[in-house]
Amino acid sequence: MFLYRDVLTRLDEFYDIDDTQIENEVQRFERAVSRVSDDLESLSGRVRKEIDNHLSEVFLAHISIVQDASLKTEVHKEIRDEYVSAGTAVRNVFHRWERRFRSMEANIAVQKGDDIRDLARRLVSSLAGVRGHALEDIPIGSVLVANRLLPSDTVFLARRSASAAILEVGGQGSHAALFAHEIGLPCVSGISKVVEIIPPGEHVLVDADSAEVIVNPDQAQEAGFRAKRKQHEQASQKARYQAHESAVTADGQVIAVLANVGSIEDTQEAVRNGADGIGLYRIERIYLGRQEPPDSASLLGEIQKTLEPVRGQPVYIRLLDIGADKPLPFMESSREANPSLGRRGIRFLLDYPDLLQTQFDALLRLSADFDLHIVVPMVTLPSDMQRVKGLLAESMARAKISRAPKLGAMIETPAAALAAPDIAQYAEFLSFGTNDLTQYTFAADRENAAVDTYFDDTQDVIFRLLKTVHDDVPQVPLSICGELAARPGCTSKILACGINSFSVAPPAIPTIKEAIRQSGAT
Ligand code: PEP
Ligand code: MG
């Protein structure tokens, strides 16, 4: 197994020193401060150009914190008086400052506490000369044990290096769990203190279907596990055999099964598994892996690279869906008390029109070569779609493009489901994001394993919402791209709600095609 820890809990930069090392440690600290300041400066310049002035000021503020004279003096003093390394001094001093801020009432002070922690992390990483990301080095075949996987971590988790993951934080609808499904990585989340309980290097078996983890299995457990795995592999091999044929229901309806992707590897796997197109391209990873936002040319380049293997097939690209549990690295400080109910998805983009414009510019150029559908995330009001449609028309006029790509809305809030007829005035298709639809219907945080009982996308109320939309707008094409789409036990019920296009993680395509063939649409 492979233990993944936060850089602030790694031991190599935290040690005691003697008299002779003091000056060296002070110099190392000063050099780290200037490297971090340089990085923040270039980040700020880029954000100013690409997004807006206000956000770029956040990074300038970070520079003034990291260069603050009293903070620096306190770190020097800690090194000299306590005989500790620069890393230990940064950790101790920044921790004291963080606590001071967090003990204050005002929200702004709490945010400052987060900024201080983030800066401590940057300084310690810089002291350790950390260039890459710890997850790039994960040994092949190991079981990853970690507190949590942030979306930005997943950018670095090389496909197929790990054989399974066990996480402390994250419910079954969490983005970490989704990412794991996307790459076919068995994942059990919500196991508290697992990082402390399982010592590094231990032999571990993970059964994600039954959410079971066995540490140091005996012979019988090992044999049972292997037998189950073999059975599982045989069933999926059978489904893969027919994966490249269309999925036709028992009563002759052809149902499209497309893929949810986030990278070129996903698309390649989707093609290998018989995808009928890309039903949801989550472009967040293009943004999450960097310290500055892409311009439209590099965004276009990334999207083209990812979609090249499916040229000619329908592709549904979702506009950047950030906020809530998916903060952008270069927007770390725009935190909210209740982010899931705050400025996420299209709400965020409408507040930062430059960010939206960059995407339209890239997508309009892409639409010349692809059967493009643009999907709008986190729509709640018909006016969200009306405004997006207006901005798209403006971008088209500027680019002198007359043939509009298809524009559609994600239905992932109960309000959107119930307002489908009004939303459909501005949308050519609707796509159910049942992960968020479940979160917002049951008021259960998808990231929080403690409320997993409430987060259940197979409950009847969810199907009632799907059916209501179909009944209200029978002429509008409906698709589904949440995790519910990949549950073969629910395929017939989904079809019965009038949905005729599924989009699932690439490894699930063969199984879902098979489940469709077994169902009779009503
Ligand atoms: C959803 O909410 O169901 C969805 C597909 O979007 P995401 O999981 O990326 O929020
Ligand atoms: Mg969603």
Side-chain angles (χ1 to χ4, degrees):
M1 58 158 282
F2 180 86
L3 199 58
Y4 171 45
R5 287 188 195 278
D6 189 326
V7 67
L8 290 180
T9 63
R10 283 165 47 147
L11 297 179
D12 14 356
E13 277 308 313
F14 309 120
Y15 47 86
D16 291 341
I17 57 171
D18 59 35
D19 272 343
T20 62
Q21 295 167 292
I22 289 178
E23 279 322 307
N24 188 36
E25 289 301 312
V26 169
Q27 291 313 317
R28 285 184 68 228
F29 168 65
E30 286 298 326
R31 284 198 296 274
V33 167
S34 83
R35 276 196 302 270
V36 166
S37 305
D38 288 350
D39 289 353
L40 289 168
E41 176 107 40
S42 71
L43 192 53
S44 156
R46 189 72 200 269
V47 171
R48 186 181 317 115
K49 233 174 59 201
E50 305 274 336
I51 305 180
D52 81 4
N53 257 331
H54 172 71
L55 273 170
S56 76
E57 279 161 18
V58 170
F59 298 103
L60 297 180
H62 277 197
I63 298 177
S64 34
I65 298 174
V66 82
Q67 293 191 341
D68 181 275
S70 51
L71 193 66
K72 278 169 61 172
T73 310
E74 203 172 318
V75 173
H76 289 186
K77 193 166 177 312
E78 186 85 6
I79 296 173
R80 291 184 208 286
D81 294 356
E82 303 299 323
Y83 294 95
V84 289
S85 64
T88 308
V90 166
R91 187 180 61 179
N92 296 352
V93 171
F94 277 62
H95 188 57
R96 284 201 290 272
W97 280 56
E98 184 188 336
R99 271 212 314 256
R100 248 176 260 159
F101 279 116
R102 286 195 199 283
S103 64
M104 291 160 72
E105 283 286 311
N107 200 23
I108 183 89
V110 174
Q111 279 184 20
K112 258 296 175 270
D114 289 344
D115 292 345
I116 300 275
R117 187 171 178 80
D118 190 59
L119 281 168
R121 201 176 267 137
R122 278 185 196 272
L123 281 168
V124 173
S125 297
S126 175
L127 281 164
V130 174
R131 293 253 129 67
H133 190 282
L135 289 180
E136 280 171 331
D137 297 331
I138 183 165
I140 293 174
S142 50
V143 170
L144 170 70
V145 177
N147 171 261
R148 64 190 302 148
L149 285 182
L150 293 172
S152 51
D153 291 330
T154 60
V155 174
F156 297 98
L157 188 59
R159 161 174 289 263
R160 299 209 182 289
S161 358
S163 59
I166 311 170
L167 308 177
E168 292 184 346
V169 178
Q172 50 162 325
S174 68
H175 283 91
L178 255 64
F179 171 74
H181 291 171
E182 230 171 67
I183 62 170
L185 178 73
C187 176
V188 176
S189 57
I191 306 206
S192 84
K193 300 217 166 79
V194 69
V195 168
E196 283 166 40
I197 298 167
I198 308 183
E202 214 70 31
H203 183 39
V204 183
L205 300 178
V206 180
D207 182 344
D209 289 342
S210 57
E212 229 179 324
V213 174
I214 307 173
V215 183
N216 282 333
D218 60 27
Q219 266 188 347
Q221 286 170 318
E222 181 100 32
F225 180 82
R226 295 210 179 285
K228 200 169 167 190
R229 193 159 86 170
K230 194 160 171 209
Q231 215 177 14
H232 193 269
E233 273 163 12
Q234 281 168 346
S236 32
Q237 206 170 356
K238 183 170 167 267
R240 271 205 301 273
Y241 199 66
Q242 277 205 300
H244 290 267
E245 320 263 313
S246 301
V248 184
T249 61
D251 56 5
Q253 212 188 329
V254 180
I255 304 294
V257 181
L258 300 90
N260 294 349
V261 301
S263 67
I264 171 74
E265 290 83 2
D266 293 340
T267 312
Q268 286 161 341
E269 170 134 32
V271 171
R272 278 196 297 276
N273 286 352
D276 298 321
I278 301 303
L280 172 65
Y281 178 8
R282 293 181 167 104
I283 63 169
E284 289 73 43
R285 234 176 284 169
I286 301 176
Y287 289 73
L288 294 171
R290 20 176 115 213
Q291 289 300 315
E292 37 195 69
D295 57 21
S296 73
S298 56
L299 181 60
L300 176 66
E302 291 283 344
I303 296 177
Q304 273 171 329
K305 198 170 78 192
T306 302
L307 295 182
E308 197 48 49
V310 289
R311 203 181 263 267
Q313 290 187 311
V315 296
Y316 291 69
I317 304 181
R318 186 177 66 186
L319 297 173
L320 184 62
D321 182 16
I322 48 154
D325 58 312
K326 294 181 272 191
L328 283 179
F330 44 89
M331 290 185 167
E332 285 146 322
S333 284
S334 58
R335 296 220 164 88
E336 300 170 297
N338 225 335
S340 296
L341 303 181
R343 216 165 41 147
R344 59 165 295 199
I346 193 56
R347 302 174 181 182
F348 187 90
L349 297 179
L350 287 171
D351 276 355
Y352 293 99
D354 291 351
L355 207 52
L356 188 55
Q357 165 110 45
T358 309
Q359 294 169 66
F360 282 154
D361 289 348
L363 293 176
L364 287 173
R365 281 165 66 192
L366 190 87
S367 67
D369 301 323
F370 282 87
D371 176 12
L372 176 64
H373 303 68
I374 299 178
V375 193
V376 184
M378 192 62 190
V379 171
T380 335
L381 304 174
S383 62
D384 289 336
M385 283 306 288
Q386 186 182 22
R387 289 173 67 191
V388 175
K389 198 170 173 173
L391 291 167
L392 178 62
E394 284 172 23
S395 293
M396 286 173 56
R398 262 193 305 272
K400 301 196 174 24
I401 289 178
S402 51
R403 200 169 60 97
K406 292 187 194 76
L407 184 70
M410 291 285 287
I411 300 296
E412 43 191 355
T413 62
L418 299 174
D422 294 329
I423 289 174
Q425 284 182 39
Y426 313 103
E428 284 158 273
F429 61 90
L430 302 175
S431 182
F432 290 104
T434 49
N435 308 328
D436 278 312
L437 188 58
T438 304
Q439 157 165 273
Y440 293 118
T441 302
F442 292 107
D445 182 352
R446 58 193 279 188
E447 299 291 324
N448 185 350
V451 292
D452 252 4
T453 330
Y454 295 92
F455 185 97
D456 182 357
D457 56 4
T458 64
Q459 289 278 336
D460 269 353
V461 285
I462 297 298
F463 290 98
R464 284 180 63 186
L465 285 170
L466 305 190
K467 182 75 167 58
T468 300
V469 173
H470 174 61
D471 290 346
D472 287 353
V473 287
Q475 77 290 358
V476 177
L478 299 182
S479 58
I480 178 168
C481 59
E483 288 299 286
L484 178 61
R487 300 193 197 292
C490 296
T491 306
S492 301
K493 278 179 92 175
I494 296 171
L495 290 168
C497 293
I499 294 168
N500 58 12
S501 176
F502 288 55
S503 189
V504 299
I509 294 168
T511 318
I512 293 305
K513 283 197 167 184
E514 193 55 31
I516 290 168
R517 292 184 191 112
Q518 307 297 327
S519 322
T522 54

